[in-house]
Every structure is written in structure tokens, then in C-alpha cells.
Amino acid sequence: MKKKLCILLSSLMVSCVVFSSPDGRDLVPEGTFTSGIEGPAVDAAGNLYAVNYATKGTIGLIKSSGEHGLFVTLPDGSVGNGIRFNAEGMMFVADYTNHNILCVDPKTKVISVFAHEPAMNQPNDISIAPNGSIYASDPAWSDNTGKLWRISTKGEVVLLEDSMGTTNGVEVSPDGRLLYVNESVQRNVWVYDIEPNGNLSNKRLFHRFADYGMDGMRCDVNGNLYICRYDKGTVVVLSPEGKILYEYSCKGKKPSNITFGGKELRQIYITLQDRGCIEVFDALNPGASLFVNPRPAF
């Protein structure tokens, strides 16, 4: 593996940015998923799920053995995007066509509408806090704006912020105290404090990129934030201080989302829309997970 090491110097500190040559591997053959592949998520048993397996409106399952196939077909014209599991192992899916957050019981495969909000543009990505609150990004691509929502454990929908940029990736920090939200077109990453009631405060700019878009995000156990750089074909890793630590180079140019998996969550799985498959890399640190690091509600 060839790597180019770039050292950035300033009068106050030295930052190290490593640009990696493509050294990942394909988890499934190219074209296994449609160009709408998104929302990778791993359950407590290590199985990987992603939306739009072979056909739009489906969810595919890739077992830890490598075997893959159709898991469920979503009902009534629903099309999934982000997927997350809560601490109890239930699957939640952002259904952008029908303005829903769906709940799927992995054991029975029964699908229900957990929350519905007609005022949503198209719920895109979701993240779950330790107390069970779901945060959902909601972009309006037609005018480059977006919203941010919170869904309670009872399915109650609360609008947290309106008139943002094109909200896309969303992630809760490992300690459950921070929420990260990115805006794809504006190339901003924002961070908020999560209050005890689940609402947000103290919004501030975490990082701004000069080029290319963004999509899904995940944190590792150390609080580093892994961000898909859509059209650039990379995943960049930011420290908890917002400094670039590392950048993975994918074979494809359109990474849409990312999750941690494998033994001890030491691998990252990246969905590639232009390749219709998932690429795998070794992670810098294990991923943060409600399953392996249960945390009390705040």
C-alpha cells in the first residue's frame, strides 16, 4: 500500500494528514445494489444491512459469513435511506418518499410506521441517541435548504431547526452529548449540544470544506467523525476538535454512507452509489455502538 504523507505546519501546532491510496476491498460484487444504495447499518450479531438491494424499495442483508440476499421489501411505495438500530435491536429506516420513519422487527420482519410527518421534505439520514431519541436530517434538494427533526421514543415528531442548508449526514457523539449535522451543498458541518430533554443548543461550526459534497457520517469510540465526501470518492476523518486526521480513498467517487462492523467494529463499510456495492477498509479505531457500549439516558 502506497501512502503520501502531507505535513501541515503552523506557528502553533503540527497537523498530520494522510491520504491513502485505494486499499479497500469489495464486500459484494459491483452492481449488487442499485445506484440508490445507502444507509448501511450493522446489528448486534454483525450482520450488515443497506437499502435498495437489486431493486428500489428494498433492504438487503449481508451476513457475517459473506452471504447476501434480500431482507425485506418496504410497503406502499416506500423507499429507504438511512438505517439505524436502537439498543434493543429494532431497525429504524428513513422512508423519504412517504415522509416516514419506519420500524422493522428483525426477527419477524414486520414493518410499521413509527413516525409520520407530512411537513418533512424527505427524511434522509438518521441517528439514535443513548436515550432512544432519533434525529433525522431532511433536505430539500430543489432549493438547497433543509430541516432537522427529533423523534421521541413514542414517535412524536419535533422540528428542531428550519431553513438550514441541505441537511444530510447526522451523527450523535459516543457520549451522547453532541449532535453533528452536515449540509451537503454548503459544505458545512455543524455541532450542537444535546440537552437532557433531547433538544439542541449552542450551535457552532465544526468544520467547513472548500470543495465537494458530503453525505453520511459515523463516529468511532474516540469521538473521531468519519464523513463521506460525495463526488470526491473519499471518507475523511475529523478529530473531536474538527481537524483532519486521515482520508480514505475509495474505488468509486460517490460514497453515500458509512458504518462500522466486523470483529470488534474495527472495519468501516462504505456504500458507493456509482458502483452499487460496498467497500471495506480497516478503521483507525473501533466504531461507537449502542450494542457494545451501552450508555444510560441523560
Side-chain angles (χ1 to χ4, degrees):
M1 178 179 66
K2 296 180 179 180
K3 295 183 178 179
K4 180 181 179 182
L5 183 65
C6 300
I7 307 297
L8 305 179
L9 301 175
S10 71
S11 60
L12 297 178
M13 64 184 295
V14 177
S15 299
C16 180
V17 183
V18 180
F19 294 91
S20 170
S21 62
D23 58 352
R25 63 181 179 85
D26 290 351
L27 187 64
V28 295
E30 189 168 348
T32 299
F33 289 77
T34 75
S35 60
I37 185 173
E38 251 272 23
V42 172
D43 66 16
N47 299 307
L48 175 65
Y49 303 79
V51 302
N52 298 319
Y53 178 85
T55 305
K56 186 177 181 180
T58 62
I59 296 177
L61 164 64
I62 304 170
K63 297 183 179 180
S64 53
S65 63
E67 180 185 358
H68 57 88
L70 177 68
F71 176 60
V72 293
T73 298
L74 299 178
D76 303 325
S78 293
V79 180
N81 204 302
I83 300 176
R84 295 283 180 131
F85 288 90
N86 70 3
E88 288 71 43
M90 299 299 287
M91 174 190 285
F92 293 87
V93 184
D95 167 18
Y96 71 88
T97 52
N98 287 333
H99 315 288
N100 295 325
I101 303 297
L102 302 175
C103 181
V104 183
D105 186 328
K107 294 180 180 179
T108 64
K109 297 187 181 181
V110 171
I111 304 172
S112 59
V113 176
F114 181 71
H116 174 71
E117 177 50 68
M120 287 181 173
N121 301 307
Q122 49 173 51
N124 183 71
D125 205 1
I126 55 177
S127 185
I128 301 179
N131 70 346
S133 293
I134 298 174
Y135 295 91
S137 62
D138 184 25
W141 295 101
S142 60
D143 60 3
N144 297 333
T145 63
K147 301 176 183 178
L148 181 63
W149 302 85
R150 177 173 62 84
I151 299 93
S152 75
T153 55
K154 297 180 180 180
E156 300 163 336
V157 182
V158 178
L159 179 62
L160 297 175
E161 192 165 352
D162 199 353
S163 302
M164 293 183 67
T166 46
T167 49
N168 200 331
V170 58
E171 173 68 323
V172 175
S173 64
D175 61 9
R177 298 182 183 277
L178 302 173
L179 182 74
Y180 299 97
V181 181
N182 71 43
E183 298 170 331
S184 290
V185 174
Q186 295 78 12
R187 299 190 292 272
N188 297 320
V189 184
W190 300 98
V191 61
Y192 303 77
D193 294 333
I194 300 177
E195 300 297 327
N197 63 2
N199 290 331
L200 306 177
S201 64
N202 192 27
K203 178 182 179 180
R204 63 264 189 203
L205 185 67
F206 182 68
H207 192 91
R208 175 178 287 130
F209 292 98
D211 53 14
Y212 298 102
M214 290 178 286
D215 213 317
M217 308 189 294
R218 286 292 196 283
C219 281
D220 67 22
V221 291
N222 292 343
N224 299 313
L225 186 65
Y226 294 58
I227 305 175
C228 293
R229 301 298 317 282
Y230 198 83
D231 283 333
K232 187 179 183 183
T234 69
V235 170
V236 68
V237 184
L238 300 182
S239 72
E241 295 73 39
K243 304 297 182 182
I244 296 178
L245 300 177
Y246 194 87
E247 193 160 19
Y248 294 87
S249 293
C250 303
K251 299 175 187 177
K253 291 296 183 182
K254 298 183 183 298
S256 58
N257 218 320
I258 178 174
T259 196
F260 288 83
K263 186 177 181 180
E264 298 179 340
L265 299 181
R266 291 183 176 274
Q267 292 182 320
I268 53 174
Y269 300 134
I270 304 166
T271 52
L272 276 297
Q273 292 192 334
D274 54 335
R275 301 191 62 226
C277 68
I278 298 169
E279 295 183 22
V280 186
F281 294 80
D282 292 334
L284 296 184
N285 303 293
S289 171
L290 290 172
F291 298 117
V292 297
N293 296 308
R295 294 175 294 278
F298 35 72

